[in-house]
Amino acid sequence: MRYELYYWPGIQGRGEFVRLVLEDAGADYVDVARERGGMAKMTRALDAGLGALLPFAPPFLRAGALVVAQTANITRFLGERLGLAPRSEAGRLAAATIALTIADLVAEVHDTHHPTTVEEAYETQRPAARARAAAFREHRLPKFTGWLEDTLARNGDVLVGRSVGYADLAAFQVVEGLAYAFPNAMKRRALRIPKLLALRDRIAARPRVAAYLASPRRLPFNDSDIFRRYPELDPA
Amino acid sequence: MRYELYYWPGIQGRGEFVRLVLEDAGADYVDVARERGGMAKMTRALDAGLGALLPFAPPFLRAGALVVAQTANITRFLGERLGLAPRSEAGRLAAATIALTIADLVAEVHDTHHPTTVEEAYETQRPAARARAAAFREHRLPKFTGWLEDTLARNGDVLVGRSVGYADLAAFQVVEGLAYAFPNAMKRRALRIPKLLALRDRIAARPRVAAYLASPRRLPFNDSDIFRRYPELDPA
C-alpha cells in the first residue's frame, strides 16, 4: 500500500505529525504536494473532493479507497494499521484522546502569532499576539506540558500502553516545536517536565526517526509555519 | 450499559454534542456533575485520572471499563456503538473527519469572545474580541458553513452515509449555537446554506431530539458558554 499524504509543501505544519508516523513505521508513502504537479492535484482534491470526503483543509491522506483528514484522525488511522497504537480498545481510546489534546495545543500555539485572523500576516496583529503569547506562556504551555508529564508519570515510559505509538510521536513533535518557538519559556519549564523531555530524546533516537530527521524530507522549522520564533513572543 | 458523562453542569458547552448523541440514541446515561455530589466526583477524576485516562478537561465519558475524552472522539465512540455512524470504514472515517472539523469551528467560536486568554473574563479582552469576531464573521463562519453545505450537496440529506449520525447531530448543535451567538451574520448567510438549515430542521424534528429540547435536561444557551450573544460582536 502506497499512502498519499496531501499537505503544504514548504512547512512541517500539521502534516509533520502524519509524516512522523509514516516514517517511524517505514511505510511507503508519497508527499503529494512536494512532487511535480502535486500542488495542482491537492487543489483539485480540495475543490472537488476525494473519495467519500470533501476535505476542509490539508493534511489529508488517501489509503487506497479510503480518505481521511484531520491530523489526529489521520495519525490514529495510520497508527492502528501500522503497529503504532495500543491493541486494546481502552488503549486505543486513550491514544486518540491524547493525540487530540496535542492537536488542541498545536492550535493554541498557532494562535499566539495569529490571535485575530489567519487572513493577514503576523505583522498586522502584533499587539494582540503579545498578549495571547503571554497568556500562553504563563498558563497554557504549563498546563498542556504538565498534563503530558502527569500522563507519563501515570503510565510509564510512553504516554499510553507499553510501546511507542503515534501519541508519543506527536508529543515529540510538539516538544520540538515548542523548543523552537518558545526556547526561553521551555528552558524555564525543563525541570518540571523531565519525563516528557526524556520521551522526546528516546523518540529522536529511534533509528527510522533519526534517519528521517537527518534527511532532506524533514523540512526545517521556519517562520511561515505553526511554530515560529518571534523573540518578542518569548522574552528571556 | 449506563454511560457516565462528565461535564460542567451549568452550560451546554462541548458536553452538548455528547448529550445529543446519547439522547437521540435513547441511551441510558447520567450527567454526573448535575447530580448531587457529582462535581466532587468530576474533580477527583480530573485530579487522579479515571481508568486508563487522565482527562485534560471535560467532557469525558465512562462506558464501563472504557474512558474517553475529547468531544469528537466521544461522539465517534458513542455513534459507532449506538447506530449513529456509518457502517463502512470509509464512512466512519468521513464522519470522524466532519465531527473534528465542527469541533475546530466550535473552538474558533469560543475564541471570538476569548481571543487572548481563558483565564480572564470577556470584559477584559473586548477590543481583541471585536477584531477576532469581525474576522470570524467575514471569513471563518462562511468557510465552515459553506463547507458543510458543500458536503451535503455532495452526499445528500445527511453529511455522510444514508442516515442521520453523530456528525449531523453536531452540525445541528453548531448551527443552533451560531444562530444564538451571531443572529445577524447567520441571517445574512441563510440563502447560501439552505441544505444545512434544512438538516438543522430535520434533526430538531426527530422525536427523541424534540423531546430532549423540550425537557429540563436541555440547558438554555447563556453567556457563560461557548456560544454567547454579545451584540457588539455581531452588528446588524
Side-chain angles (χ1 to χ4, degrees):
Chain A
M1 157 85 61
R2 165 167 272 201
Y3 295 98
E4 288 181 5
L5 168 64
Y6 293 75
Y7 195 65
W8 307 114
I11 57 172
Q12 292 182 16
R14 290 181 169 85
E16 197 66 10
F17 294 85
V18 183
R19 292 189 190 106
L20 281 165
V21 176
L22 291 162
E23 293 279 349
D24 190 69
D28 181 22
Y29 78 101
V30 55
D31 203 337
V32 172
R34 291 168 77 180
E35 305 280 303
R36 188 188 294 264
M39 271 301 292
K41 194 173 169 187
M42 184 162 92
T43 302
R44 275 198 304 277
L46 284 166
D47 287 345
L50 195 65
L53 196 71
L54 179 66
F56 182 78
F60 48 98
L61 180 93
R62 194 163 79 83
L66 300 175
V67 180
V68 52
Q70 283 278 348
T71 309
N73 205 31
I74 302 170
T75 56
R76 175 185 180 172
F77 168 78
L78 287 172
E80 293 182 359
R81 283 166 75 111
L82 300 174
L84 288 167
R87 296 250 172 101
S88 72
E89 189 176 14
R92 291 192 168 201
L93 292 169
T97 298
I98 292 165
L100 283 163
T101 305
I102 291 172
D104 285 347
L105 169 54
V106 171
E108 294 200 20
V109 170
H110 173 272
D111 282 10
T112 61
H113 52 76
H114 277 79
T116 306
T117 175
V118 294
E119 304 294 324
E120 306 211 21
Y122 164 66
E123 288 71 18
T124 68
Q125 44 199 308
R126 273 187 154 148
R130 274 182 195 249
R132 176 124 188 180
F136 177 78
R137 293 191 314 271
E138 187 178 351
H139 300 293
R140 304 300 284 172
L141 187 154
K143 181 169 177 174
F144 278 101
T145 56
W147 174 78
L148 289 167
E149 183 75 10
D150 291 345
T151 297
L152 287 167
R154 261 182 122 239
N155 191 67
D157 281 350
V158 295
L159 286 162
V160 55
R162 290 290 158 257
S163 57
V164 166
Y166 69 92
D168 303 291
L169 294 168
F172 161 80
Q173 175 64 11
V174 85
V175 169
E176 288 290 279
L178 288 170
Y180 173 79
F182 297 97
N184 293 313
M186 284 298 275
K187 257 177 236 148
R188 286 191 291 272
R189 290 294 298 162
L191 292 177
R192 308 283 193 90
I193 53 170
K195 292 174 197 297
L196 181 58
L197 297 179
L199 175 64
R200 187 262 317 264
D201 293 345
R202 282 197 306 277
I203 298 291
R206 285 166 72 84
R208 284 178 182 143
V209 172
Y212 169 61
L213 296 177
S215 79
R217 298 191 302 287
R218 171 77 165 187
L219 295 162
F221 283 109
N222 68 65
D223 294 340
S224 304
D225 204 335
I226 293 170
F227 296 104
R228 302 188 185 188
R229 182 174 287 176
Y230 292 132
E232 64 271 28
L233 302 187
D234 182 47
Chain B
M1 158 83 60
R2 166 167 271 201
Y3 295 97
E4 288 182 4
L5 168 64
Y6 292 76
Y7 194 66
W8 306 115
I11 58 172
Q12 292 183 17
R14 290 180 169 86
E16 197 66 11
F17 294 85
V18 183
R19 292 189 190 105
L20 282 166
V21 177
L22 291 163
E23 293 280 350
D24 190 69
D28 182 19
Y29 78 101
V30 54
D31 203 336
V32 172
R34 290 169 76 179
E35 303 281 303
R36 186 188 297 263
M39 271 301 292
K41 193 172 169 187
M42 185 163 90
T43 302
R44 274 197 305 277
L46 284 166
D47 287 345
L50 196 65
L53 196 71
L54 178 67
F56 182 79
F60 48 97
L61 180 94
R62 194 162 79 82
L66 300 175
V67 180
V68 51
Q70 283 279 347
T71 308
N73 205 30
I74 302 171
T75 57
R76 175 183 180 173
F77 169 77
L78 287 172
E80 292 181 0
R81 282 166 76 111
L82 300 174
L84 288 167
R87 296 250 173 101
S88 71
E89 188 176 13
R92 289 189 169 202
L93 292 169
T97 298
I98 292 165
L100 283 163
T101 306
I102 292 172
D104 286 346
L105 169 55
V106 171
E108 294 200 19
V109 170
H110 172 272
D111 282 9
T112 61
H113 52 77
H114 277 79
T116 305
T117 174
V118 293
E119 305 293 324
E120 307 211 21
Y122 164 66
E123 288 72 17
T124 68
Q125 44 199 309
R126 273 189 155 145
R130 273 180 197 251
R132 176 124 187 180
F136 176 78
R137 294 192 313 271
E138 187 178 349
H139 300 293
R140 304 300 285 173
L141 187 154
K143 181 169 176 174
F144 278 101
T145 56
W147 175 77
L148 289 167
E149 183 75 11
D150 291 344
T151 297
L152 287 166
R154 258 181 124 238
N155 190 68
D157 281 349
V158 294
L159 286 162
V160 55
R162 290 290 157 259
S163 56
V164 165
Y166 68 93
D168 304 292
L169 295 168
F172 161 81
Q173 175 63 11
V174 84
V175 169
E176 288 291 277
L178 288 169
Y180 173 78
F182 298 98
N184 293 313
M186 284 296 276
K187 256 176 236 147
R188 287 192 290 272
R189 290 294 300 163
L191 292 177
R192 308 283 194 90
I193 52 170
K195 292 174 198 297
L196 181 58
L197 297 178
L199 174 63
R200 187 264 316 265
D201 293 345
R202 283 197 306 277
I203 298 290
R206 285 166 73 83
R208 285 181 181 141
V209 172
Y212 169 63
L213 296 176
S215 79
R217 297 191 303 285
R218 171 77 165 186
L219 295 162
F221 283 108
N222 69 65
D223 294 340
S224 304
D225 204 335
I226 292 170
F227 296 103
R228 302 188 184 188
R229 181 173 289 176
Y230 292 132
E232 64 271 28
L233 302 187
D234 183 48

